[in-house]
Amino acid sequence: MNDLRELVKIVTTRGQKNFPLLELKTKNPNKEVDLFHLIRTGQCESDHQAAALMYKTLPNDPRIKMLKSRLRKKLLNHLFFLDFTDQSLKISHRYEQKSLALLFQARTLMNEGESTISASLLRTALALAEEAEFTQIIIDCYQLLLENYSLSSSSTNFYKTKSTLAKYRALAALEQEAADLYYTSRLELNKSVVAKNKYLEKLKNVVQKLEALWTKTNSANIFDFYYKLSISLHELTGNFDEILKTTANIEKLLQKGKINKKRFDERYNKFINVYAYLRVKEYEKGLVAAASYVQVFNRSTNNWFAFMENYFLLAMHAGKYDQAAKLYGEVMRNTSYKKISRTAQERWSLYGTYLYFVNPSDEFIKQSNYRKLMGSVPEHSKDKQGFNVAILILQFMYFVRSQDTDALNYRIDSLKKYADRHLKHQLSKRNLLFFKLLVLLVKENLDYDQAKKKGEPLLHRLKNTPVPGDAYAEIEIMPYEHLWTLILKMLKDQ
């Protein structure tokens, strides 16, 4: 009871007069709770709306400013009581948050002169932090324990802790070196394609340095930096075979306990593994892997939708259009679809429309509306980078099917303008070659025999042109070779 009596005393002395949290379940809500519910339900999205709904006034009214301030403070207080048991979260987040909470509580108790309870909390926090290898939290715990032991004159514990703390400080210095390398690289990789190109040689050296630091320390923090940048390097250089080797090696290291499972996000390893299968054109293996991995992703998260994109594209590239239709339908029926970004929804709209061209089955039409899909396809622009070419090709195929030659002639001009502006880079060869095939179609007045005959040399060059690295490639929702076969079939049927 001694510890409880001490805690009651501290809470009684330091407790706030006003309740510092929102009382969301109260039968008599106040203005703060009212504003909270208005924001949560989407009824209040601007300062003007907030002022009008709460006080029938304008945003410069002192009352609405004070109300927003009180709500903000209470919402920040709620951050101390968030639920991190959700299985969709990284397991490391649970360890980190629990350790930080215990550390905060211990520091507060020490400030109140309570050393016994604080030492117990610090040892619990330390055990969690060490298990998940959060070096900085470990250092903070040992530093507070050092302070605690000095005040309680515990010499043995003091000097033992001091020695251990020195080792972790040395490790932290190496981890900081790794962090500086990692975040500098991430900054450079977020720049333009030209800037990324210039940084590639430096990136290779950074990855080598991180690998050496990881080998030296066996640190989970440094491994995370090394792993992510090595994947980025292979992506940017189009070396997807190496990604497959890396992900397979990671699985082995995890099984052997060489990588801390409390820190490593195994889901990303599975995600990038499936993506790599897509890029190396091992579609069957990729589909098998995707089918076995999909259950580890929570269906309500962005990660699930991102994973399903690769799964869907694998089916499309493998020519398994019935399977692709089922995957597309599964995505459309997911109640969380409306929560993903506008850009992601536009990509799925494109996927669905491409799927219609190759698989206009009754089952698929029940799942979606073709005209609605065509109507939702966005025009190409700077904010659609990554699938501008896919949009242009889709529109072109639509007018080929309807034999609208006027629209096709207009589209040819669009293709030429886009190619002149955006496809001059050496790694845009596949796009250029396919555009030339489309131009050829119009020149030959959609004549099947002539298009097939005169397109053979371009098709041969296309087949021998590899897909570029991810930093430069626009999306091929279907391989261009398959699209050309589909277009020729449309002409022949007509």
Side-chain angles (χ1 to χ4, degrees), residues 240-293:
F240 296 99
D241 283 312
E242 278 302 313
I243 291 180
L244 286 174
K245 292 178 184 177
T246 300
T247 53
N249 186 47
I250 293 299
E251 290 291 342
K252 291 177 183 178
L253 291 174
L254 281 168
Q255 292 173 8
K256 292 179 180 179
K258 301 291 185 180
I259 298 175
N260 192 330
K261 291 185 178 182
K262 301 294 191 302
R263 291 297 303 279
F264 184 73
D265 190 357
E266 195 175 351
R267 289 170 298 188
Y268 178 74
N269 200 57
K270 288 176 168 38
F271 171 86
I272 203 67
N273 174 262
V274 168
Y275 177 64
Y277 274 124
L278 173 65
R279 298 309 295 266
V280 299
K281 301 182 180 180
E282 292 190 24
Y283 306 130
E284 295 299 331
K285 289 183 179 179
L287 286 170
V288 171
S292 64
Y293 295 159

Side-chain angles (χ1 to χ4, degrees), residues 163-178:
S163 175
T164 305
L165 181 57
K167 294 177 183 178
Y168 276 107
R169 282 173 174 165
L171 173 61
L174 295 174
E175 289 183 347
Q176 187 58 57
E177 180 185 347

